[in-house]
Amino acid sequence: MVNGIFNGDKALLARAITLVESANWAHIEKANTIVEHCLTKKTNGIRIGITGIPGVGKSTFIEAFGKMLTKAGKKVAVLAVDPTSSISKGSILGDKTRMQRLAKDTNAFIRPSPSSESLGGVTKKTKETIILCEAAGYDIVLVETVGVGQSETAVYNMVDFFLLLKLAGAGDELQGIKRGIIEMADAIIINKADGTNKDKADLAKKMFTNALHLYPAKTSGWSPKVLTASSLQNIGIKEIWDMISDFIHQTKVNSHFNKNRIEQDKRWFLNTVNEGITHHFHKDKSVAHMTQNLLLDIEQQKISPFRAAEKLLNDYTKSY
Amino acid sequence: MVNGIFNGDKALLARAITLVESANWAHIEKANTIVEHCLTKKTNGIRIGITGIPGVGKSTFIEAFGKMLTKAGKKVAVLAVDPTSSISKGSILGDKTRMQRLAKDTNAFIRPSPSSESLGGVTKKTKETIILCEAAGYDIVLVETVGVGQSETAVYNMVDFFLLLKLAGAGDELQGIKRGIIEMADAIIINKADGTNKDKADLAKKMFTNALHLYPAKTSGWSPKVLTASSLQNIGIKEIWDMISDFIHQTKVNSHFNKNRIEQDKRWFLNTVNEGITHHFHKDKSVAHMTQNLLLDIEQQKISPFRAAEKLLNDYTKSY
């Protein structure tokens, strides 16, 4: 499987990602081995996070941006952090009809990742998926986040460049954009800057450019840019890539690029340790047995959940 | 401290919550003891989650709703899940000027909880904080979530009733409301239904009432309601409480209320176990030492973060 990934086999890459996303412990262990092998391959990829509220035109933008990149000879992988409805378990992105042109491109790979219910789950899986895609030869990995929530912070912590898409006209409040997300952005793109929207977009560009001065300077030394674009009419798309290339060049020179990757690696290490330790704990047969009994006791209201947790922990942490 | 909480001492309650929110291990252990004691007290509180995008008028609504409840003789606690900017560490809600009238009310307690960077952190702390507030005699705990992200699922999983505030006129897409969040709602309140907005609000009410029929039936047996309200003019506020009282009555009769609490308890048990096990692991001196060394190795790029995690786990899980 690792050889297949190294050779850029899309089907094997997809299967490996499925393993990585699995909640099954046997799969997790297999996935870990694959990720470890993929990490040994020297790669030179660029990771770009793309966020914005539903309706801002993220998929149209990603399609235009991705096609421009593949035409320029790049291989592009798109990862969607897909928030699943926690009740009906239905996927919002589910429809693969999104980004149809890009999906057919031999130099593109699109992966909508169903998120588990766990808040942190998405994060870990996405980071590993980036590694697999890069090992498969993808030069640029686009990580899309849907909605404007905590997943943005997670994605921000695993990309080199963070893009925020906005619409002209609608206020920040209505767009549900939080201050923290604007702070994270290395660039704001006013999307749908076409037709009667053009003037409004130019105005919004000025407004945001001014507003960005009020935010604290970035440790990258980069001043966030505001650009307008029409994904539908393919206007301003190339300029966005030029800007990102400038950023990459500039931050490689001032060594922020590498420092940032190392900080992200440290965070990933700690997250992986924490996942591993809980995984190891629950894998233990007697822990699993006692957990089942305690869940039953909680169901019958014989014990408080907090007390039950303490009981389980006390019994199984003595051997350390 | 536990006695102080049981006696409804606000200052001691606030201090206990600070302990609960602390990342310091000594504090965590103290906090656990307090929570455990608080769980022994029989309480009869109602937990209500309130969500909606910034600008929808959540704080004005909570003030109007809270004042109505205190006037009716209830004690009300308000917990805000406050998403902190991950870069400037500044709190968005920070200003205590929000809900000033309610804050002065002797029968109200307002707590804006700063969230840590951890995705799951908010969740655990909020659940414990609910327990402390109920032990302090608060009949109704309002849990506010800011923004429209994964924190909604977290809050949904710890309340009895989940309210979604919306504005008339702005489309779902612009409001960044995801399908999953509408599915979670037990009621949708069209807020700011006053002045020239009144007709639009009534129209939106009809629209949502129809739309809700398309969603799967709830296990609670409750059909989600759509109401209009003006928090500013105090219109429709009492009706919301009447509706919630109906829900509580109905779900206590059909035993969903209790079943739901038990499901939430099971989830809380598992979350607490997982937090506890990582806490226990990192508390170990040799683990802490090796972690520091591995972080240094990652910094000097001598080892991949994934391999480093495996090394640490392998060395310290043998003793199980």
Side-chain angles (χ1 to χ4, degrees):
Chain A
M1 203 172 230
V2 173
N3 278 335
I5 294 170
F6 282 15
N7 290 330
D9 184 322
K10 281 190 194 181
L12 282 174
L13 173 60
R15 273 176 53 198
I17 295 173
T18 302
L19 274 181
V20 160
E21 286 172 346
S22 170
N24 178 304
W25 290 336
H27 291 172
I28 291 171
E29 273 154 23
K30 216 168 156 185
N32 285 351
T33 312
I34 295 170
V35 173
E36 219 168 288
H37 275 96
C38 287
L39 277 166
T40 61
K41 192 173 172 183
K42 266 269 168 260
T43 56
N44 203 17
I46 301 298
R47 303 158 190 176
I48 302 171
I50 297 172
T51 192
I53 58 158
V56 77
K58 281 190 297 297
S59 43
T60 320
F61 172 77
I62 290 171
E63 181 149 79
F65 191 65
K67 285 301 284 182
M68 180 271 300
L69 289 171
T70 57
K71 267 179 204 154
K74 306 276 186 196
K75 287 188 73 182
V76 179
V78 180
L79 311 180
V81 178
D82 178 6
T84 308
S85 147
S86 74
I87 295 173
S88 67
K89 313 281 178 200
S91 164
I92 295 168
L93 289 184
D95 54 324
K96 287 218 172 171
T97 49
R98 285 179 11 126
M99 311 180 204
Q100 262 185 319
R101 282 190 313 134
L102 192 60
K104 282 179 196 149
D105 195 318
T106 41
N107 285 321
F109 175 79
I110 300 181
R111 176 78 182 196
S113 295
S115 73
S116 65
E117 273 195 43
S118 119
L119 281 172
V122 177
T123 323
K124 185 183 182 278
K125 290 163 188 169
T126 308
K127 177 78 183 196
E128 264 112 336
T129 305
I130 291 173
I131 301 299
L132 297 190
C133 290
E134 290 183 344
Y138 290 93
D139 308 297
I140 292 154
V141 181
L142 305 177
V143 187
E144 180 196 21
T145 78
V146 192
V148 188
Q150 289 171 303
S151 59
E152 269 66 20
T153 313
V155 170
Y156 173 77
N157 284 325
M158 54 178 103
V159 297
D160 304 310
F161 194 94
F162 197 69
L163 261 182
L164 169 61
L165 299 194
K166 296 202 70 165
L167 294 175
D172 258 23
E173 293 220 316
L174 255 192
Q175 293 196 34
I177 302 290
K178 283 181 248 131
R179 184 167 177 260
I181 290 174
I182 293 180
E183 276 186 347
M184 288 192 272
D186 294 303
I188 295 176
I189 309 298
I190 317 289
N191 197 20
K192 302 190 183 177
D194 42 39
T196 52
N197 232 353
K198 182 82 184 64
D199 291 346
K200 273 202 288 184
D202 288 334
L203 196 71
K205 180 183 165 174
K206 260 184 217 150
M207 209 187 72
F208 278 114
T209 308
N210 289 332
L212 282 178
H213 291 306
L214 301 173
Y215 286 89
K218 291 195 156 247
T219 49
S220 58
W222 172 258
S223 312
K225 304 288 181 286
V226 185
L227 298 177
T228 59
S230 165
S231 307
L232 221 55
Q233 296 183 9
N234 220 6
I235 300 169
I237 303 300
K238 173 73 170 56
E239 286 75 2
I240 295 168
W241 174 239
D242 291 342
M243 170 193 61
I244 295 175
S245 304
D246 279 352
F247 172 91
I248 301 298
H249 176 75
Q250 190 173 317
T251 56
K252 279 193 172 170
V253 168
N254 74 14
S255 81
H256 165 82
F257 186 89
N258 198 35
K259 274 186 203 155
N260 185 46
R261 283 266 177 116
I262 286 172
E263 281 313 307
Q264 293 179 346
D265 276 352
K266 287 184 186 173
R267 202 184 288 260
W268 189 31
F269 159 67
L270 291 172
N271 288 342
T272 307
V273 167
N274 290 347
E275 282 230 6
I277 196 70
T278 47
H279 166 185
H280 178 82
F281 181 72
H282 290 290
K283 211 171 57 174
D284 182 280
K285 280 211 176 67
S286 51
V287 167
H289 182 72
M290 188 167 174
T291 301
Q292 287 314 314
N293 286 341
L294 286 168
L295 282 169
L296 211 67
D297 287 348
I298 293 169
E299 183 139 349
Q300 296 167 350
Q301 290 172 280
K302 287 185 194 161
I303 192 168
S304 93
F306 208 73
R307 183 76 197 85
E310 200 180 51
K311 211 172 160 193
L312 182 60
L313 289 166
N314 277 346
D315 272 31
Y316 289 94
T317 52
K318 279 177 198 153
S319 49
Y320 260 122
Chain B
M1 205 172 226
V2 172
N3 278 336
I5 295 170
F6 281 14
N7 291 330
D9 184 323
K10 280 190 194 182
L12 281 174
L13 173 61
R15 271 174 56 196
I17 296 173
T18 303
L19 273 182
V20 160
E21 287 173 345
S22 169
N24 179 306
W25 289 337
H27 292 171
I28 291 172
E29 274 155 23
K30 217 168 155 185
N32 285 351
T33 312
I34 295 170
V35 172
E36 217 166 290
H37 275 96
C38 287
L39 276 166
T40 61
K41 192 173 171 183
K42 266 269 168 259
T43 57
N44 204 15
I46 300 299
R47 303 157 188 175
I48 302 171
I50 297 173
T51 192
I53 58 157
V56 78
K58 282 190 297 298
S59 43
T60 321
F61 172 77
I62 290 171
E63 180 150 78
F65 191 64
K67 285 301 285 180
M68 180 271 300
L69 289 170
T70 57
K71 267 179 207 156
K74 306 277 185 195
K75 286 188 72 182
V76 180
V78 180
L79 311 180
V81 178
D82 178 7
T84 308
S85 148
S86 73
I87 296 174
S88 68
K89 313 281 177 201
S91 164
I92 295 167
L93 287 185
D95 53 325
K96 286 218 172 169
T97 50
R98 284 178 13 124
M99 311 180 203
Q100 263 184 319
R101 280 192 313 136
L102 192 59
K104 282 179 199 149
D105 196 318
T106 41
N107 285 322
F109 175 79
I110 300 182
R111 176 78 182 196
S113 294
S115 73
S116 65
E117 275 196 40
S118 120
L119 281 171
V122 177
T123 323
K124 184 184 181 280
K125 290 162 188 169
T126 309
K127 177 78 184 196
E128 263 110 335
T129 304
I130 291 173
I131 301 299
L132 297 191
C133 290
E134 289 183 345
Y138 290 93
D139 307 296
I140 291 155
V141 181
L142 305 178
V143 187
E144 179 196 22
T145 79
V146 191
V148 188
Q150 289 172 302
S151 59
E152 269 68 19
T153 313
V155 170
Y156 173 77
N157 284 325
M158 53 179 103
V159 296
D160 305 311
F161 193 93
F162 197 69
L163 261 181
L164 169 62
L165 299 194
K166 296 203 71 164
L167 294 176
D172 257 22
E173 294 220 317
L174 256 192
Q175 293 196 32
I177 302 290
K178 283 182 246 129
R179 184 168 176 260
I181 291 174
I182 293 180
E183 277 185 347
M184 288 192 271
D186 294 304
I188 295 176
I189 308 299
I190 318 288
N191 197 21
K192 301 190 184 178
D194 41 40
T196 52
N197 233 353
K198 183 79 185 66
D199 291 348
K200 275 201 289 183
D202 288 335
L203 195 71
K205 181 183 166 174
K206 259 183 218 152
M207 210 186 72
F208 278 114
T209 308
N210 288 334
L212 282 178
H213 291 306
L214 302 172
Y215 285 90
K218 292 195 157 247
T219 50
S220 58
W222 172 258
S223 312
K225 305 288 181 286
V226 185
L227 298 177
T228 58
S230 165
S231 308
L232 221 53
Q233 296 183 8
N234 222 4
I235 300 169
I237 303 299
K238 173 72 172 55
E239 286 76 0
I240 295 169
W241 174 239
D242 290 342
M243 170 192 61
I244 296 175
S245 303
D246 279 352
F247 172 91
I248 301 298
H249 177 75
Q250 191 173 316
T251 56
K252 278 192 174 172
V253 167
N254 74 15
S255 81
H256 165 82
F257 186 89
N258 199 33
K259 274 187 202 154
N260 184 45
R261 283 265 177 118
I262 286 172
E263 281 314 306
Q264 293 179 345
D265 276 352
K266 287 184 185 173
R267 202 184 288 260
W268 189 32
F269 159 68
L270 292 172
N271 288 342
T272 307
V273 166
N274 290 346
E275 281 228 8
I277 195 71
T278 47
H279 166 186
H280 178 82
F281 181 72
H282 290 291
K283 211 172 57 174
D284 183 280
K285 279 210 178 66
S286 51
V287 166
H289 183 74
M290 188 167 174
T291 301
Q292 286 315 313
N293 286 342
L294 286 168
L295 283 169
L296 211 65
D297 287 348
I298 292 169
E299 181 140 351
Q300 297 168 348
Q301 290 172 280
K302 286 186 193 161
I303 193 168
S304 91
F306 207 73
R307 183 77 197 82
E310 200 181 51
K311 213 172 157 189
L312 182 60
L313 289 167
N314 277 345
D315 273 32
Y316 288 94
T317 53
K318 279 174 198 155
S319 49
Y320 261 123

